[in-house]
Amino acid sequence: MLKRLALIFGPVVVAAILVLTVMFVGPIDKHKHNLANEEQAAVSLSPTVFRQAYLKNMALSDEDHRFVPFFGSSEWNRMDAFHPAVLARAYHRNYQPFLLGQKGAEALTQYFGMQQIMQNMHHKQAVFFVSPQWFTKADQQSAAFQFYFSKSQALAFLKNQTDTFADRYAAKRLLATYPNVPYRNLVQKVADGQKLSNLDEKYLDFQGQVHANEDAFFSRFDIGTNLKKRVLPKVKELPQPYNAQALDAKAVQLGESQTRNNRFGILDNFFTNRIGSSFPSLKNAQAHFNYTQSAEYSDFQLDLDQLAKTHTNVIFVIPPVNSKWAKYTGLNENMYQASVRKIKHQLTSQGFNNILDLSRRGNEPYFMEDTIHLGWRGWLAFDKGVAPFLEHKQPAPVYHLNNHFISEDWNNFDPINNDVNTFK
């Protein structure tokens, strides 16, 4: 009988002990750095690394090795030989990109992710890849947002909030996009402008400790193999020492060899597997697309508000679209450039003056890997603008935020028929 009971309840007892250990003891020294784990996490692009805090803070707080957050979405997964992570390693840059982006991740996701690493962004640098394709009439997809959202982000947001206009707006957006969000009652307090009580704060401290321990324990198991399989092998493909002309020639050679089954300069595999038989039906399919009016502009302002709070010196990168593909699908170039003007005005009018605008270069051969993502020569142009910004000391930014960019008026402002400088 005792053996039977042991077989039945033994695993439960062991699991309970493990959970209690994780919750209260803390399995890992949170101040201990592990460069191998940091380097793997930096290029992992694992949803676990993206959602959780432990590995991000381990890397970004490492004073002996400089990791720089690269915010974006799906473009970081386009890992050819000229990808920023490959170039930084091949040419021994004084930084390594920590890639923070996933397919479907947009400004609101990035804002709540920033909450987790806020303490490690003060007076540092960052790269922010902002795609006009985020700024659609349709709202942020709830399913994608919820997939990338974690309790860690909710706890960090609640602990960081200071009852500002942006805090209240962010809480309202969170409730609208994730109605059953963890700690919903406390998020509602923030949205209503109510101060969290001492009891609330003690509860958050306890929950934060529990979740931090869980994060530290489980994050190690999903770092991925991108460093070994997708970065290091490509480092060996690049010419040494660094030579811009040799790199461009190599980019042209690779681009030409990998785009032979279509007339758009699109990667062969992408054209076959992602476009394929749907190709005829996509003619003029994007003629109605509009990136000039969207709630995303207010969400983007939340990112700017957070970056200003930490005095982070940021370079923003605005990509083009593949011009040949845009012409085929009917995407309006004037509309696209109007959205770029609106984004740039939102940036520069508030002191975010470091902008690498690549939006007019989508017609250059082998600049794009597919329909909307940089590749080959596009990554080289990215590197030419971003690397000097990160490698050399930059003047401290002076930001002056304008809450009117969090408004329906700005979301609905039409930059096609109106001068963005007239927005009040």
Side-chain angles (χ1 to χ4, degrees):
M1 180 63 71
L2 288 175
K3 288 182 178 180
R4 289 181 180 178
L5 290 174
L7 289 172
I8 294 171
F9 294 107
V12 176
V13 173
V14 171
I17 292 172
L18 178 60
V19 169
L20 289 173
T21 301
V22 170
M23 288 174 61
F24 298 112
V25 177
I28 297 176
D29 180 356
K30 296 177 181 57
H31 302 288
K32 183 178 181 180
H33 292 283
N34 183 317
L35 180 59
N37 283 351
E38 291 168 8
E39 290 184 321
Q40 289 182 72
V43 296
S44 167
L45 295 173
S46 155
T48 299
V49 174
F50 188 52
R51 282 192 295 254
Q52 304 301 340
Y54 177 71
L55 289 169
K56 289 185 283 193
N57 282 317
M58 178 196 285
L60 297 178
S61 64
D62 192 336
E63 295 182 359
D64 296 323
H65 303 91
R66 185 182 173 216
F67 290 88
V68 176
F70 276 46
F71 300 102
S73 51
S74 56
E75 61 281 329
W76 304 136
N77 202 33
R78 270 56 187 180
M79 286 186 173
D80 61 32
F82 310 97
H83 188 280
V86 179
L87 292 175
R89 182 171 285 270
Y91 298 111
H92 309 290
R93 303 277 165 73
N94 65 12
Y95 65 90
Q96 291 189 51
F98 198 109
L99 307 175
L100 296 171
Q102 292 283 325
K103 180 180 179 181
E106 298 177 357
L108 196 64
T109 293
Q110 293 294 0
Y111 170 77
F112 285 103
M114 286 180 195
Q115 303 299 311
Q116 299 170 303
I117 58 175
M118 183 174 176
Q119 70 271 30
N120 290 312
M121 292 181 64
H122 285 278
H123 301 283
K124 293 186 179 181
Q125 289 182 300
V127 177
F128 199 114
F129 200 104
V130 53
S131 297
Q133 288 87 354
W134 293 359
F135 299 80
T136 60
K137 280 279 190 182
D139 205 350
Q140 161 78 59
Q141 292 183 0
S142 293
F145 177 81
Q146 293 178 28
F147 180 72
Y148 297 129
F149 191 82
S150 68
K151 285 185 178 180
S152 172
Q153 294 174 16
L155 288 164
F157 169 70
L158 289 166
K159 290 180 70 65
N160 292 339
Q161 70 84 31
T162 54
D163 192 31
T164 64
F165 180 79
D167 287 334
R168 295 191 294 274
Y169 178 78
K172 292 173 184 175
R173 287 288 286 144
L174 179 55
L175 291 167
T177 311
Y178 195 167
N180 296 318
V181 65
Y183 315 109
R184 188 186 192 287
N185 60 323
L186 299 183
V187 176
Q188 187 66 60
K189 277 191 173 183
V190 176
D192 294 339
Q194 297 179 24
K195 182 176 174 59
L196 298 182
S197 68
N198 289 335
L199 187 60
D200 291 334
E201 291 177 355
K202 289 180 180 178
Y203 173 70
L204 290 173
D205 287 340
F206 171 75
Q207 288 289 314
Q209 184 63 48
V210 170
H211 192 81
N213 289 342
E214 292 176 352
D215 184 5
F217 183 80
F218 291 110
S219 288
R220 298 172 298 170
F221 302 116
D222 190 21
I223 301 182
T225 59
N226 275 349
L227 180 63
K228 180 181 179 180
K229 294 184 177 180
R230 302 181 67 195
V231 175
L232 295 180
K234 291 181 173 61
V235 169
K236 298 175 183 178
E237 298 178 16
L238 297 177
Q240 294 290 350
Y242 178 92
N243 181 287
Q245 289 183 329
L247 281 169
D248 187 66
K250 180 76 172 178
V252 170
Q253 175 195 345
L254 289 177
E256 186 176 28
S257 67
Q258 296 173 27
T259 58
R260 291 177 172 171
N261 70 354
N262 65 90
R263 66 178 188 270
F264 303 100
I266 292 173
L267 192 68
D268 289 336
N269 288 339
F270 185 95
F271 193 83
T272 299
N273 298 322
R274 298 286 296 277
I275 297 175
S277 61
S278 62
F279 173 68
S281 65
L282 294 174
K283 186 170 179 61
N284 294 322
Q286 296 182 339
H288 65 287
F289 282 19
N290 190 339
Y291 306 142
T292 65
Q293 295 173 305
S294 171
E296 188 73 17
Y297 287 98
S298 287
D299 291 347
F300 183 49
Q301 183 64 22
L302 291 177
D303 293 339
L304 303 187
D305 181 88
Q306 187 61 37
L307 292 165
K309 280 182 181 177
T310 53
H311 305 282
T312 305
N313 203 349
V314 196
I315 184 168
F316 293 85
V317 181
I318 305 176
V321 292
N322 182 316
S323 295
K324 291 180 179 179
W325 184 252
K327 185 175 181 180
Y328 179 77
T329 60
L331 186 72
N332 189 308
E333 174 67 15
N334 290 333
M335 176 280 297
Y336 195 85
Q337 289 303 323
S339 70
V340 172
R341 288 196 300 274
K342 187 171 178 176
I343 292 168
K344 290 172 71 173
H345 176 73
Q346 188 167 344
L347 291 170
T348 57
S349 66
Q350 298 179 93
F352 295 90
N353 298 319
N354 300 304
I355 302 172
L356 177 61
D357 183 3
L358 303 175
S359 66
R360 294 185 181 276
R361 300 184 64 176
N363 61 339
E364 297 181 23
Y366 315 118
F367 202 87
M368 310 298 291
E369 179 182 287
D370 52 44
T371 58
I372 60 173
H373 295 111
L374 295 182
W376 308 297
R377 300 177 82 192
W379 282 132
L380 290 178
F382 175 99
D383 186 67
K384 185 178 179 180
V386 169
F389 174 81
L390 295 178
E391 289 205 291
H392 304 297
K393 187 175 179 59
Q394 304 295 328
V398 178
Y399 300 132
H400 32 86
L401 296 180
N402 181 352
N403 282 336
H404 287 98
F405 288 118
I406 302 178
S407 68
E408 290 293 327
D409 287 344
W410 179 241
N411 292 344
N412 296 325
F413 185 86
D414 176 11
I416 297 175
N417 299 304
N418 297 281
D419 184 346
V420 291
N421 294 300
T422 63
F423 177 76
K424 301 296 182 182

